[in-house]
């Protein structure tokens, strides 16, 4: 006889639509370009409660009940996330305080990061004054204390030598004079969203300490008892660098013990990415999970020693609780990064389900864990690590990985099972990895087969044990050295990585589904259906201009120049952006990822002149683009001369690509050896297809502008790269009258210390009705000769509410 389902069983079937709706509602809210007022989000929450009440009506059909449940939780998630975002945004920095000296008293909230340029640290604000009047600042600031004049173009330090940063420790109360600005990062296609990172970290203003001779001396007031974990982390990091002589290995140990990823050299990161083991070299879900497992074994063994404890709480339950708690403590000590938080929350959710005695199907557990993570941190949905970890776990569940080897025992069986699981994950995640990064490691399976057990069972335990017995850090360094040699050997292989153009979202989703079908326990006739689904993401080609047309992409690289020119089959990069520090430059940070995402092989890298804001990223670019020729006015003794043969740019040089003419207009051959000023030697390039034209001029000044006009060069252009970023020394009236541009592109940093573009210069453009597009407002600017009146701005096309809107 048929038995009607119980009320609890009926409600249980609504769990899946509720969880799916919650995640989807959160994702929906994250697409908003701007926030509404908070009462609107509150009304969404009220509406969700009404919709949920309707699901209790018994006469509603099952399909409509499920739809109502999904809608109710989707609306609830949208409202709750919007309320959180609105409350947070209310603490934003007052625009009137940007660029003003503010006296701030506060407590160092996290372990400071030291580099060659100085210190970076987070400050919890206690009080602030501006010209003797109390002002309201965001609760937490992200500050730099520069060691000298160099500030990467973002600080108004001029030529004033700064006081050297002293030892700063977490928990100390300091008084600084600071200069602040709103969170502002580069906005480029496929680029890193620095503003999102600041939002997630609770940092609503960035700035720097004013420590020149005429500024008040920064004062350490007292050591508080706040942030003891951060202070302990800092001291352990100092002990690691004091114990291990090789800073390369010391940095890797510090990353594994205290989560200080900035301690890892850029060259090491390149090797780890090329071999697919980057997830092992910082505190990730794998480390936290392994620690939880080992901690659970230890707690279980100790618990079983006491019969009284076992009667009070069974040993398996005690092991579960102890493992999760100790894993949380480990994650807290290692910096409480987003991957660690996510993993602890996943472990806690699964643990609570087991303790409650519930035995949910794996899709329910997987969805519940996902929803819990999203509820705590909605913006985790925008992190690549979120999708990689959850898709990997889902694939392992769905493919029942290891089931075929379940009967095998011993080391061989376990190794075979582990290798198969890694192979399943590698194959299934390849489309997702290509979608997120545009690059996948071919040697990743072989590299991880050794690196995972070596790092998790040898290196990490030794590194953690070194906290108690410092010489073990030296042993860990030897273990890391052996692994590094192995990884460098794999990374040096010519086929170590595959890069493709980053595909659109639909192609990536299809590829992930195809990869999942391919590894599931299904008949091979069905599995092979996954292959055509993977093809779009594997074979995607980024659109290129048609024959006879060309395109400009003026990258958002801060204070500097970098303009990508593409024709139907060729590409030129005009300048390589600034150098920020020894470990960071626009090439590595912006341009290399951009070229990889677009799958653009450069034919020519043209460096207008030697200044670091134009040539700073060249080394990274030349390393990535071995086929690219180098055209520049740099001197014979320049370091780049040893990296790639340099052809001098000389007026009169011409070439023709795909129906587009390129011509160098400056400098003259006689200028080499006689002109001393680097700006005056800027290579000027004009390109034209006979209908539209562009003029790229570097940092030429009024003298060179007048010279070009007197020489009778064909300067007329539809688009002009504004000379010298809009400096007062350039953009003369006679030059602008000769060029007659319709659009002028300014590449300059937000609130840069040079004041570019100068207000007086902008007047020259306004008087001639020339449309000025600057990178702080526009982000990366894209202009196409097929649409000569239009400029696409990345900052407006991909606008989200956490991103800065420049007044």
């Amino acid at each position: 006889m048929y038995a009607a389902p119980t009320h609890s069983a009926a409600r249980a079937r609504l769990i899946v639509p509720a969880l799916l709706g919650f995640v989807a509602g959160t994702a929906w809210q994250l697409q908003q370009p701007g926030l509404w007022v908070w009462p609107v989000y509150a009304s969404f929450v009220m509406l969700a409660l009404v919709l949920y009440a309707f699901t209790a009506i018994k006469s509603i059909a099952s399909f409509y009940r499920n739809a109502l449940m999904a809608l109710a939780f989707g609306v609830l998630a949208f409202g709750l996330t919007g309320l959180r975002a609105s409350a947070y945004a209310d603490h934003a920095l007052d625009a009137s305080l940007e660029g003003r000296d503010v006296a701030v008293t506060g407590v160092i909230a996290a372990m400071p990061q030291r580099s060659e340029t100085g210190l970076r640290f987070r400050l919890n604000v206690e009080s602030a004054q501006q010209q003797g009047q109390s002002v309201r600042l965001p609760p937490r600031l992200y500050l730099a204390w520069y060691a000298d004049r160099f500030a990467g173009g973002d600080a108004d330090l001029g030529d004033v030598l700064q006081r050297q940063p002293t030892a700063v420790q977490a928990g100390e109360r300091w008084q600084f004079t600071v200069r602040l600005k709103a969170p502002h990062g580069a906005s480029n296609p496929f680029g890193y969203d620095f503003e999102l990172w600041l939002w997630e970290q609770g940092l609503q203003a960035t700035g720097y300490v004013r420590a020149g001779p005429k500024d008040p001396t920064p004062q350490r007031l007292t050591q508080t008892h706040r942030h003891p974990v951060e202070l302990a982390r800092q001291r352990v990091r100092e002990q690691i660098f004091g114990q291990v002589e090789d800073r390369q290995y010391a940095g890797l140990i510090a990353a594994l013990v205290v989560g200080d990823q900035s301690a890892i050299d850029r060259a090491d990161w390149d090797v780890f990415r090329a071999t697919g083991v980057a997830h092992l070299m910082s505190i990730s879900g794998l480390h936290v999970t392994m620690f939880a497992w080992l901690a659970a074994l230890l707690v279980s063994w100790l618990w079983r020693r006491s019969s009284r404890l076992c009667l009070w709480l069974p040993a398996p339950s005690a092991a579960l609780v102890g493992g999760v708690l100790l894993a949380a403590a480990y994650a807290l000590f290692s910096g409480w990064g987003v991957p660690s938080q996510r993993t602890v929350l996943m472990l806690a959710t699964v643990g609570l389900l087991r303790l409650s005695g519930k035995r949910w199907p794996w899709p329910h557990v997987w969805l519940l864990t996902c929803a819990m993570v999203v509820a705590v941190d909605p913006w985790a949905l925008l992190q690549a690590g979120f999708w990689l970890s959850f898709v990997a776990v889902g694939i392992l569940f769905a493919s029942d990985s290891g089931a075929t080897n379940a009967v095998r025992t011993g080391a061989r069986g376990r190794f075979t099972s582990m290798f198969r699981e890694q192979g399943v994950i590698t194959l299934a995640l390849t489309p997702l990895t290509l979608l997120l990064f545009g690059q996948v490691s071919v040697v990743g399976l072989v590299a991880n087969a050794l690196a995972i057990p070596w790092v998790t069972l040898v290196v990490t335990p030794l590194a953690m044990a070194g906290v108690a017995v410092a010489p073990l850090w030296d042993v860990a360094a030897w273990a890391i050295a052996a692994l590094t040699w192995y990884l460098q050997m794999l990374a040096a292989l010519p086929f170590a990585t595959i890069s493709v153009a980053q595909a659109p979202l639909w192609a990536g989703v299809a590829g992930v589904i195809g990869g999942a079908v391919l590894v599931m326990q299904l008949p091979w006739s069905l599995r092979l259906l996954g292959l055509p689904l993977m093809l779009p993401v594997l074979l995607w080609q980024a659109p290129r201009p048609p024959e006879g047309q060309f395109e400009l992409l003026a990258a958002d690289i801060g204070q500097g120049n970098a303009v990508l020119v593409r024709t139907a089959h060729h590409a030129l990069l005009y300048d390589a952006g600034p150098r920020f520090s020894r470990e960071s430059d626009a090439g590595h940070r912006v341009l290399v990822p951009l070229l990889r995402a677009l799958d653009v092989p450069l034919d020519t890298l043209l460096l207008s002149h030697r200044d670091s804001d134009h040539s700073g990223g060249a080394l990274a670019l030349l390393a990535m683009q071995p086929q690219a020729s180098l055209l520049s006015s740099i001197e014979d003794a320049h370091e780049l001369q040893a990296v790639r043969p340099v052809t001098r740019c000389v007026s009169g040089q011409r070439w023709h690509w795909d129906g587009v003419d390129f011509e160098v207009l400056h400098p003259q051959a006689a200028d080499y050896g006689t002109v001393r000023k680097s700006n005056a030697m800027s290579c000027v390039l004009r390109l034209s297809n006979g209908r539209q034209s562009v003029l790229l001029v570097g940092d030429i000044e009024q003298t060179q502008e007048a010279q070009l006009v007197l020489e009778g060069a064909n300067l007329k252009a539809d688009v002009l790269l504004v000379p010298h970023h809009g400096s007062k020394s350039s953009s003369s009236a006679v030059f602008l009258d000769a060029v007659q541009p319709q659009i002028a592109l300014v590449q300059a940093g937000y609130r840069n210390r040079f004041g570019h573009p100068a207000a007086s210069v902008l007047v020259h453009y306004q008087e001639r009705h020339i449309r000025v597009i600057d990178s702080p407002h526009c982000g990366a600017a894209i202009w196409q000769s097929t649409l000569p009146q239009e400029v696409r701005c990345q900052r407006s096309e991909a606008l989200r509410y956490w991103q800065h809107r420049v007044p």
Side-chain angles (χ1 to χ4, degrees), residues 243-245 249 253 454 458-466 469-483:
Q243 177 69 32
V244 180
E245 293 184 2
Y249 302 138
I253 293 172
W454 189 253
V458 179
V459 176
T460 302
L462 285 171
M464 294 301 297
V469 184
L472 290 178
W473 283 328
D474 293 316
V475 182
W478 298 335
I480 291 173
L483 177 63

Side-chain angles (χ1 to χ4, degrees), residues 29-115:
Q29 196 279 333
L30 298 183
Q31 304 309 308
Q32 285 194 280
L35 288 173
W36 300 327
V37 293
W38 72 264
V40 176
Y41 296 111
S43 66
F44 270 75
V45 175
M46 298 301 295
L47 176 61
L49 297 177
V50 173
L51 292 171
Y52 179 77
F54 275 111
T55 64
I57 301 176
K58 296 181 179 179
S59 60
I60 297 179
S62 177
F63 172 79
Y64 294 108
R65 191 191 306 273
N66 288 340
L68 270 176
M69 181 64 78
L71 181 60
F73 274 81
V75 172
L76 176 66
F78 185 96
L80 291 176
T81 306
L83 284 173
R84 287 180 59 181
S86 298
Y88 177 77
D90 285 342
H91 298 286
L93 177 69
D94 186 340
S96 65
L97 295 176
E98 287 192 280
R100 308 280 295 275
D101 286 351
V102 180
V104 177
T105 300
V107 176
I108 309 298
M111 180 174 63
Q113 304 292 329
R114 183 176 289 276
S115 67

Side-chain angles (χ1 to χ4, degrees), residues 4 15 30 123 147 194 215 225 286 371 506 509 528 567 592 646 725 750 795:
I15 290 175
L30 298 183
L123 184 75
F194 178 63
D215 297 310
H225 296 292
L286 179 63
W506 67 263
V509 172
L528 293 177
T567 65
V592 167
V646 180
H725 319 287
Y750 175 62
R795 187 166 285 276

Side-chain angles (χ1 to χ4, degrees), residues 659-738:
V660 181
D661 294 313
F662 293 73
E663 181 182 4
V664 176
L665 304 181
H666 183 79
Q668 301 292 329
D671 292 335
Y672 286 93
T674 60
V675 177
R676 300 299 181 188
K677 195 172 183 180
S678 62
N679 287 349
M681 291 299 292
S682 293
C683 303
V684 176
L685 179 69
R686 185 178 185 270
L687 46 151
S688 174
N689 63 358
R691 297 172 298 279
Q692 284 78 40
S693 55
V694 171
L695 190 63
L696 307 176
V697 297
D699 281 354
I700 62 170
E701 299 180 349
Q702 292 182 12
T703 301
Q704 291 74 50
E705 293 174 352
Q707 180 182 345
L708 285 168
V709 173
L710 288 174
E711 290 170 353
N714 183 6
L715 298 177
K716 193 174 187 310
D718 298 279
V719 179
L720 169 68
L721 180 64
V722 171
H724 201 181
H725 319 287
S727 167
K728 294 178 181 179
S729 63
S730 304
S731 297
S732 60
V734 64
F735 179 72
L736 294 181
D737 291 339

Side-chain angles (χ1 to χ4, degrees), residues 228-296:
V229 175
E230 290 295 325
L231 179 59
R233 292 178 63 225
Q234 182 176 353
R235 288 174 175 170
V236 168
R237 183 185 62 180
E238 293 169 354
Q239 292 169 5
I240 291 172
F241 279 93
Q243 177 69 32
V244 180
E245 293 184 2
D246 193 312
R247 295 190 62 83
Q248 176 189 8
Y249 302 138
L252 286 165
I253 293 172
L256 291 171
V257 176
V258 298
D260 184 10
Q261 296 186 35
S262 65
I264 301 179
D265 290 340
R266 190 175 80 181
D268 288 330
W269 277 124
D270 292 339
V271 171
F272 300 151
R273 293 189 183 101
T275 53
V277 302
H279 62 104
L280 295 173
M281 301 306 169
S282 58
I283 305 300
S284 65
L286 179 63
H287 296 91
V288 176
T289 303
M290 181 62 69
F291 188 90
W293 177 68
L294 293 174

